[in-house]
Amino acid sequence: MTKENGEIYDLLDGMHGNADCELDFGTPFELLVAVVLSAQCTDKRVNAVTEKLFKIANTPEQFVAMPTEELEKHIFSCGFYRNKARAIKELSASIIETGGMPQTREELMKLRGVGRKTANVVYAVAYGGNAIAVDTHVFRVANRLGIADAKTPEQVEEQLMSAFDDKLWSHLHHLLIFHGRYVCHSRTPDCGACALRGKCKYYKQNTRSAL
Ligand code: SF4
């Protein structure tokens, strides 16, 4: 890892040292369901939904047994509720078929209804594995800072994994999410409040072009 990237990591950690998963869950399976629900939805909304939902169902068997229409009603407010209900039903059936909740990234990714980002989050947060899940915040902030220069989430993931020590991956992922969520907003990044101005490719380019 370069000295520059170490400094960027430390500055992010200085701003968001408490960055962590903001989804509520009690088991790895609950986290998996919560991550599926969190696509295009706030963690706050997901937590409100799962607080009620997990009292009714929180195992693969219970979700398989639940009628799809009932599941859709519970998760309606998370958006994309039909796709998300289908994914939860599929991953639940898949877990039962494979004999239990997988604990490796590769096995998680083999579950029906589970994509790469979701598998990475569950692997890192529930099992303490080293992984970088690239969501919209991670994608945007990594490219703006210049610690990645990529057109796809997979490329960002690969570049960040090459650029940072593996034991930092999981926390780096949370740092980038927090930075994107609370400072480096999509439309109007709050550069005035950002400790990374001196390191940021986007800031340097936009400051120069404004002169
Ligand atoms: S300086 Fe601005 S664009 Fe760069 S990381 Fe900070 S908030 Fe984002």
Side-chain angles (χ1 to χ4, degrees):
M1 187 167 83
T2 63
K3 184 167 168 282
E4 178 75 0
N5 284 345
E7 287 171 4
I8 287 174
Y9 181 91
D10 288 343
L11 286 168
L12 283 168
D13 195 47
M15 290 187 77
H16 314 286
N18 61 347
D20 204 349
C21 180
E22 293 189 304
L23 292 168
D24 296 334
F25 65 97
T27 64
F29 177 73
E30 285 188 359
L31 176 63
L32 179 57
V33 172
V35 175
V36 168
L37 291 176
S38 72
Q40 307 286 316
C41 181
T42 65
D43 289 356
K44 199 173 166 193
R45 165 69 62 189
V46 173
N47 289 339
V49 166
T50 56
E51 187 184 0
K52 293 179 189 152
L53 177 64
F54 290 157
K55 286 184 182 132
I56 299 160
N58 72 342
T59 66
E61 291 77 8
Q62 287 167 328
F63 280 112
V64 165
M66 184 183 281
T68 300
E69 300 72 32
E70 187 186 334
L71 179 55
E72 287 175 353
K73 270 188 208 155
H74 287 300
I75 67 171
F76 177 79
S77 64
C78 292
F80 301 99
Y81 64 97
R82 288 216 166 92
N83 287 346
K84 290 178 182 178
R86 194 183 322 123
I88 291 168
K89 298 280 279 182
E90 283 184 357
L91 69 86
S92 295
S94 199
I95 288 171
I96 293 169
E97 281 165 26
T98 53
M101 181 73 187
Q103 298 193 11
T104 67
R105 204 164 63 129
E106 290 67 29
E107 287 170 335
L108 282 162
M109 268 190 283
K110 280 186 199 154
L111 293 175
R112 292 193 301 279
V114 175
R116 186 180 187 85
K117 178 173 75 79
T118 300
N120 278 341
V121 173
V122 174
Y123 178 61
V125 175
Y127 298 119
N130 297 325
I132 299 178
V134 179
D135 71 353
T136 180
H137 297 302
V138 175
F139 184 83
R140 180 180 71 255
V141 177
N143 273 302
R144 279 182 177 170
L145 280 171
I147 52 177
D149 182 9
K151 292 197 165 37
T152 68
E154 288 75 17
Q155 288 170 353
V156 169
E157 183 183 330
E158 280 169 22
Q159 292 178 8
L160 292 178
M161 285 166 66
S162 303
F164 290 85
D165 295 346
D166 58 358
K167 64 179 186 314
L168 303 180
W169 292 349
S170 178
H171 191 52
L172 175 66
H173 145 252
H174 288 124
L175 290 173
L176 292 171
I177 289 176
F178 266 54
H179 201 58
R181 206 175 265 169
Y182 300 114
V183 181
C184 191
H185 309 293
S186 170
R187 290 201 181 162
T188 318
D190 190 1
C191 302
C194 181
L196 290 114
R197 285 196 304 275
K199 308 270 180 203
C200 176
K201 186 175 101 181
Y202 177 96
Y203 183 79
K204 285 177 197 162
Q205 286 173 345
N206 284 276
T207 306
R208 264 196 220 116
S209 63
L211 292 174

